[in-house]
Amino acid sequence: MDGDINATAPGTTPPDSDPARKRRVHGMLKLYYGLNEEGKTVDQAESMDPCDINGPHFDPEVYLNKLRRECSLGELMDQESCMVKQIRSLDSDMQTLVYENYNKFISATDTIRKMKNDFKKMEDEMDCLSTNMASITDFSARISGTLQDQHAQITKLSGVHTLLRKLQFLFELPARLNKCLELQAYAQAVSSHRRARCVLQQYSHMPSFRGIQDDCHAIMDKLAQELRQKFRDGGSSAKDLSECVELLLQLDEPAEELCDKFLSHAQSRLEADLLGLEAELRPPLSSGPTAVTDPYTGPARRLSVEPTAGSPTGPSSLKNPFLSPSSRTDILEFIDRGCNEFVSSLCLVIASYQELFVNRPQEGEMASKNIPQMAIGKLHAFVDALATRYFSLVERRIQEEKSVGDNSLLVRALDRFHRRLQAVAKLLPGSAVPSQGTEIVVRAARERIKQYLAALQSFYLNSLTDVRQALAAPRLGGSSAGGGSHLGGPATGKDAPASLPELLSTLSASILNQIKSVLASVHLFTAKDITFSNKPYFKGEFCSHGVRESLVVNFIKFVCQSSRQFCESAGDRGGSTPPALLLLLSRLCLDYETSTITYILTLTDEQFLVQHHSPVTAVTALCGEAREAAQRLLNHYVKVQGLIISQMLRKSVETRDWVNTIEPRNVRAVMKRVVEDTTSIDVQVGLLYEEGVRKAHSSDSSKRTFSVYSSSRQQTRYAPSYTPSAPMDTNLLSNIHKLFSERVEIFSPVEFNKVSVLTGIIKISLKTFLECVRLRTFGRYGLQQIQVDCHYLQMYLWRFVSDENLVHFLLDEIVGSTAHRCLDPAPMEQSVIEVICERG
């Protein structure tokens, strides 16, 4: 069988390479030894069957007899083959098991051999040790026997010696105490007296001990007096002071009185620190005015490089009201001084006080007095009173920090202030000081938001002042078409005009850059390295209501509100607001509505991780407000420009004698001025707004005046007026014509395009012309002059409006109203009108 196994071994895989076979072998071993998977013995009922080949009671003869009786020859041969295979398999498994554990067997053999040698050596050492112990026991027994008679005497003498040493200590105690008093070794004196106090008290009825006790009391009274004097002087350090208090407590001084004295002494030191801080808050003496500069002055904001001509002060003279004198110590140094002096001293006082009065082990009578509770109450009142004064000084200094140029100093100072107060929270749990400090930081952040909002508002108003100066500059040196302006000085032929788009772009970019700069400064409050940034306020309310609502949203509302205020100016000419500024602001508000507001709020939400847990202003509401402001500004611009042209037309009608005027030979100059101004407005509006939609123009739009004024319709309309007997018919025809004419809304809201704006201005101008005509009486040549003027206007104004029929209708009304108020209505020939207008 071994030969078969060896013959098959070369053709088989190594035992370690067949995990399944290895597990099977281990399983068989566990089964043989009666172990489960965890290696524990399994209690199984033993099989009593002699035919169970795996049972302990197996009988081969019985098993073979059973097989011969029950199985046929073929079954016996099969059974033999199966058993041979099992035998070979078991032999192979056993051989594999031997191979796998060969090294372990060798190691076990070596270990057993080594243990035999070691145990032999150990037996020799144990025999030697046993002999030595027997010798020691014998020697000890002989010593005990020798000294047994003198043991009691030695014990008695030892006790007497100890007693004599104690008595010697007691008799030498007064001298020892005096020596310690001279050397100022107060702690050693108190310790020595405490050791002997109980014995002296116990034997005070004996005269000798009574004298020692009286001497010691006198010396300790003197020592206590010196400690009290040292405590009251206050010139000692905190360590010496703590030692004084501790010694006085050991001398049974009243704890409440010591607490008051300790806190009183500490208060004098802390008040000196507070007085030093208060001295820094007093304004320094100055021999002259303090120069104040604008933190926002720079290329990002300036729209004018130099002061405009004729202006007493240029843009660079603008002052920021939020800056403080630079001669004073900055807030970071102030907070550092307060933390390093006052807060540090306060923490030292708290720690020393607690160690002396609160955390001190209470034994005997001291435990019944409940000193820690009394002491902690006094400490809380003491800390709260001084912290209130310190916080008032800090808030005063924070309120003086109104310069918004650099926010990092304030944030670092607040962070240091908040960080140092956490030490008080650890030393004195339950104190209101840390929460009060956090409230100061929160109020400072809110105040900073207000300051930045005021700075942004001031910046915006100053920027508008620069825009107005830039718009007014060309008028000082000459006129400029299209509302252009020269930046920074009088207009000259060599200066390049700054157009409205450039001013708008510069204004919008400077405002947006300033908002980004402010957001970056405010974002320092929420930086990760700032200790108070993890407070609930700075994670929620500060971001949503502080930055988003109180700063960004309020500034956007301020821009819209301040822009709408330009529409409330009184006067026919719209007050002192330049029309170009109204147009520019309307475009600015429209740009805010379309993109800028959404961009700013999205930037704010992303930068500050704003979570809208509470209601906030919706973007759509702000956009609606901006669009409303843009609409009102554009409507007001149309009204102002319309009133300017209307004023010229009104004066030209009111100052002329239309009854006795001469026969017209030219177009009046005011009509040419109207066309010129309308063209200038068209160019100006076109710089900021798109063209808009027009209705299709007819091919003879410039000649429609002739067809309107001289056609059969016109003759039918005016012919009855030539006949004195038919005035009622003329009025009747005119009224019937108005009934079927489309009603013209003069002051209707305009759309955000050039055509709608020009249409509104022309409607206001022509309506004013019509109303002025209705108040006058005309002669023949007066009517003809109106015909010439209206034909001239028709030649040019139809190009600017969305529907040329509107101009035709209004001009037709003007001529018709003039004809009704003419004493001798004789219209001029259309060919003559055209010649005059072309020549003009």
Side-chain angles (χ1 to χ4, degrees), residues 443-617:
R443 287 196 293 269
R446 289 174 178 167
E447 186 64 26
R448 202 60 168 172
I449 293 291
K450 294 179 182 178
Q451 292 175 359
Y452 273 115
L453 176 61
L456 283 176
Q457 293 172 350
S458 176
F459 173 82
Y460 174 72
L461 296 178
N462 292 338
S463 299
L464 291 187
T465 302
D466 294 341
V467 172
R468 296 184 71 157
Q469 292 178 354
L471 293 174
R475 298 194 180 119
L476 300 175
S479 62
S480 177
S485 63
H486 297 280
L487 292 178
T492 62
K494 296 181 181 180
D495 292 336
S499 62
L500 285 178
E502 294 176 354
L503 289 175
L504 175 64
S505 175
T506 305
L507 176 63
S508 179
S510 61
I511 294 175
L512 186 59
N513 290 335
Q514 205 58 49
I515 292 175
K516 290 181 179 179
S517 176
V518 168
L519 289 178
S521 298
V522 175
H523 190 261
L524 295 175
F525 282 102
T526 60
K528 293 182 179 180
D529 58 339
I530 302 301
T531 55
F532 56 77
S533 62
N534 59 354
K535 296 294 180 181
Y537 171 77
F538 287 96
K539 284 187 174 181
E541 185 180 353
F542 175 76
C543 297
S544 59
H545 286 81
V547 179
R548 190 184 191 278
E549 295 296 309
S550 300
L551 181 61
V552 178
V553 173
N554 284 351
F555 176 67
I556 294 174
K557 290 182 178 179
F558 172 79
V559 171
C560 298
Q561 292 171 1
S562 61
S563 301
R564 286 197 298 267
Q565 290 177 357
F566 289 105
C567 304
E568 300 172 359
S569 55
D572 294 339
R573 291 183 176 270
S576 60
T577 304
L581 180 60
L582 297 173
L583 185 66
L584 186 144
L585 289 178
S586 69
R587 184 66 207 190
L588 178 68
C589 292
L590 184 62
D591 291 341
Y592 269 55
E593 185 265 337
T594 54
S595 61
T596 307
I597 291 178
T598 304
Y599 172 74
I600 293 175
L601 292 181
T602 302
L603 178 66
T604 303
D605 293 344
E606 292 177 353
Q607 191 170 356
F608 288 86
L609 301 176
V610 178
Q611 298 178 358
H612 306 312
H613 296 301
S614 56
V616 295
T617 306

Side-chain angles (χ1 to χ4, degrees), residues 266-277 334-350 382-394 417 420-421 424 433:
Q267 184 173 2
S268 62
R269 288 176 169 270
L270 293 173
E271 284 184 347
D273 295 337
L274 293 177
L275 291 176
L277 292 176
F334 179 85
I335 295 296
D336 274 341
R337 179 175 178 181
C339 292
N340 295 333
E341 295 180 0
F342 175 78
V343 178
S344 297
S345 300
L346 182 63
C347 291
L348 182 61
V349 168
I350 294 173
F382 170 79
V383 171
D384 291 343
L386 287 176
T388 301
R389 291 182 55 187
Y390 173 62
F391 289 156
S392 65
L393 296 177
V394 171
F417 169 74
R420 293 299 293 271
L421 289 181
V424 179
V433 171

Side-chain angles (χ1 to χ4, degrees), residues 407-433:
N407 196 40
S408 60
L409 277 180
L410 176 62
V411 174
R412 287 166 56 195
L414 293 176
D415 174 60
R416 200 159 298 178
F417 169 74
H418 182 270
R419 192 189 302 270
R420 293 299 293 271
L421 289 181
Q422 302 312 305
V424 179
K426 294 179 181 179
L427 290 173
L428 191 61
S431 174
V433 171

Side-chain angles (χ1 to χ4, degrees), residues 140-155:
S140 175
R142 282 187 292 167
I143 292 176
S144 298
T146 304
L147 298 177
Q148 185 174 6
D149 298 337
Q150 300 178 358
H151 178 71
Q153 187 178 359
I154 293 173
T155 303

Side-chain angles (χ1 to χ4, degrees), residues 114-128:
K114 192 174 181 180
M115 287 176 62
K116 288 182 179 180
N117 296 332
D118 292 341
F119 275 118
K120 184 177 180 181
K121 183 178 179 181
M122 188 179 297
E123 288 178 358
D124 298 338
E125 291 179 354
M126 290 298 294
D127 292 339
C128 182

Side-chain angles (χ1 to χ4, degrees), residues 786-813:
I786 294 296
Q787 282 184 282
V788 172
D789 293 343
C790 289
H791 183 79
Y792 183 80
L793 294 176
Q794 172 60 33
M795 289 174 60
Y796 296 99
L797 295 185
W798 67 270
R799 299 181 178 90
F800 304 116
V801 297
S802 59
D803 185 5
E804 59 181 301
N805 293 325
L806 176 66
V807 176
H808 299 159
F809 174 76
L810 291 175
L811 292 176
D812 186 36
E813 285 291 323

Side-chain angles (χ1 to χ4, degrees), residues 710-727:
S710 302
S711 63
S712 57
R713 172 188 171 192
Q714 184 68 33
Q715 291 175 357
T716 303
R717 186 174 178 185
Y718 298 148
S721 63
Y722 302 152
T723 306
S725 61

